[in-house]
């Protein structure tokens, strides 16, 4: 039971450290305050979670533990989809009210 807790803890901990690392938010992680350190810590958390899972259950039984699959899917979607996320976050907001003020 404790091993499953640690597996979930490390897998879920990868999400905020990746996000904070990519935003360069200076959150303390295992490798310091830097953005790269937090992204690296995110990767280390996933490796630790998968290693503990393999030791406890074996990777062949991963499909039987869909909660972990869900968390890892979210982590992978951030890792893979981050360029798309940043494209929308960096886009300047264009509202109709600001264009109306400029015309007056």
């Amino acid at each position: 039971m404790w091993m499953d807790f640690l597996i979930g803890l490390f897998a879920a901990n990868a999400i905020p450290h990746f996000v904070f690392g990519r935003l360069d938010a200076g959150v303390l992680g295992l490798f310091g305050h830097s953005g790269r350190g937090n992204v690296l810590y995110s990767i280390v958390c996933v490796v630790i979670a998968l290693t503990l899972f393999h030791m406890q259950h074996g990777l062949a039984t991963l499909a039987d533990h869909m909660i972990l699959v869900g968390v890892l899917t979210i982590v992978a979607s951030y890792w893979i989809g981050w360029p798309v996320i940043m494209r929308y976050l960096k886009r300047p907001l264009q509202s109709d009210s600001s264009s109306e003020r400029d015309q007056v």
Side-chain angles (χ1 to χ4, degrees), residues 42-78:
S42 171
I43 295 168
V44 168
C45 282
V46 170
V47 169
I48 290 172
L50 288 173
T51 302
L52 292 175
F53 183 84
H54 178 64
M55 290 170 45
Q56 183 73 13
H57 304 287
L59 287 178
T61 65
L62 188 61
D64 296 334
H65 302 272
M66 292 309 286
I67 292 175
L68 180 60
V69 171
V71 170
L72 293 176
T73 301
I74 297 296
V75 171
S77 69
Y78 273 104

Side-chain angles (χ1 to χ4, degrees), residues 1-10 52 56:
M1 178 168 58
W2 285 105
M3 186 73 82
D4 290 329
F5 172 76
L6 290 175
I7 292 166
L9 181 92
F10 281 109
L52 292 175
Q56 183 73 13

Side-chain angles (χ1 to χ4, degrees), residues 12-13 36 49 57 73-74 90 94:
N13 195 33
R36 285 185 178 166
H57 304 287
T73 301
I74 297 296
K90 289 183 179 180
Q94 298 174 352

